[in-house]
Amino acid sequence: MRTKLLPLLGLALMLFACNSNQSKKSADCDNCPSAEKVAEKKGSCCDHHKSEKVYTLETLMKDPESLVNKEIKLKGNVLHTCKHSGRRCFLASDDEKVNIRVEAGGKIKGFNQELVGSEILVTGIVKERRLTKEHIEQMEHDLKEKQQKEDGSAETCAAENNNITKMRQWMKAHNKDYYAIYFIQGVDYEAVQ
């Protein structure tokens, strides 16, 4: 009788241990902060809620060079989507001082106009395009020719001239012989509630 009782006792202890583990998981989950807060802490509340860091435009632009060719999650407000193809959208920071282009790819077939003004979470790969000093000089030369023709686009020329000046300032501040343009090659996205 005793030999039959030991396996049953062992089974009962195992079931009790498994159930208490399940209760602990549920209790832990009830105490979990929101996924957003978990991402801010760069960790997770429990083993079954592992999370990746979610970047904002401000945090991404602090050191984008270190993230080139890496997949990240980026949250931002949709400022604009390309009307004709829908293959691009532009995300902006809350104050709209920082923005970045997102190219459709992976599961993303396009970006609808209805997204403008909403917040989305994009999964994508950080990419970099470099404009060389020679390229910028050519842009400046073309701009001067355009200004000499006086085609009535003085406002556009001023904006382009301002962009060239900002590029040169960035190059000097970062001690680079090129200007880096960062963008996201999209893989997937979802609307943020």
Side-chain angles (χ1 to χ4, degrees):
M1 176 110 169
R2 195 172 206 189
T3 57
K4 289 182 180 177
L5 197 57
L6 281 176
L8 286 175
L9 186 60
L11 182 62
L13 284 172
M14 217 167 58
L15 286 173
F16 177 75
C18 287
N19 277 343
S20 78
N21 248 357
Q22 282 293 50
S23 309
K24 183 174 176 0
K25 256 188 194 177
S26 292
D28 285 350
C29 290
D30 292 340
N31 296 325
C32 282
S34 69
E36 189 174 290
K37 291 192 190 266
V38 169
E40 285 172 10
K41 292 179 183 176
K42 300 180 191 175
S44 63
C45 58
C46 48
D47 287 341
H48 58 285
H49 274 158
K50 298 238 185 263
S51 68
E52 297 176 43
K53 179 176 181 177
V54 175
Y55 288 86
T56 62
L57 272 88
E58 293 86 354
T59 57
L60 170 64
M61 296 314 276
K62 284 181 182 175
D63 187 19
E65 195 171 4
S66 70
L67 296 169
V68 171
N69 294 323
K70 293 182 182 171
E71 187 173 285
I72 66 162
K73 291 190 180 289
L74 174 67
K75 190 190 300 184
N77 300 308
V78 180
L79 186 63
H80 173 79
T81 62
C82 292
K83 289 180 184 177
H84 300 291
S85 69
R87 303 282 303 156
R88 291 181 177 165
C89 84
F90 293 84
L91 298 184
S93 58
D94 289 336
D95 61 7
E96 295 187 7
K97 289 183 179 179
V98 182
N99 64 62
I100 195 165
R101 182 179 83 232
V102 179
E103 298 281 342
K107 294 179 182 177
I108 305 171
K109 302 301 177 214
F111 298 99
N112 296 329
Q113 289 289 305
E114 292 81 35
L115 287 173
V116 174
S118 63
E119 187 175 40
I120 63 173
L121 178 66
V122 174
T123 301
I125 299 164
V126 178
K127 295 292 185 179
E128 176 188 52
R129 178 174 173 233
R130 294 181 177 184
L131 299 180
T132 62
K133 274 195 321 190
E134 294 78 22
H135 185 93
I136 294 169
E137 286 169 2
Q138 184 62 49
M139 287 170 58
E140 192 171 37
H141 174 76
D142 293 348
L143 181 59
K144 285 179 182 174
E145 282 187 0
K146 189 168 148 182
Q147 286 173 327
Q148 287 174 353
K149 291 180 184 177
E150 293 184 348
D151 61 356
S153 59
E155 190 175 307
T156 302
C157 290
E160 289 177 55
N161 206 7
N162 189 31
N163 285 340
I164 290 170
T165 301
K166 285 181 180 178
M167 288 179 198
R168 290 188 190 283
Q169 288 170 345
W170 183 90
M171 290 166 59
K172 186 175 181 179
H174 292 88
N175 198 25
K176 304 281 186 188
D177 64 347
Y178 62 87
Y179 178 76
I181 298 172
Y182 297 98
F183 65 98
I184 304 294
Q185 182 61 55
V187 174
D188 201 3
Y189 81 91
E190 61 187 78
V192 175
Q193 300 299 331

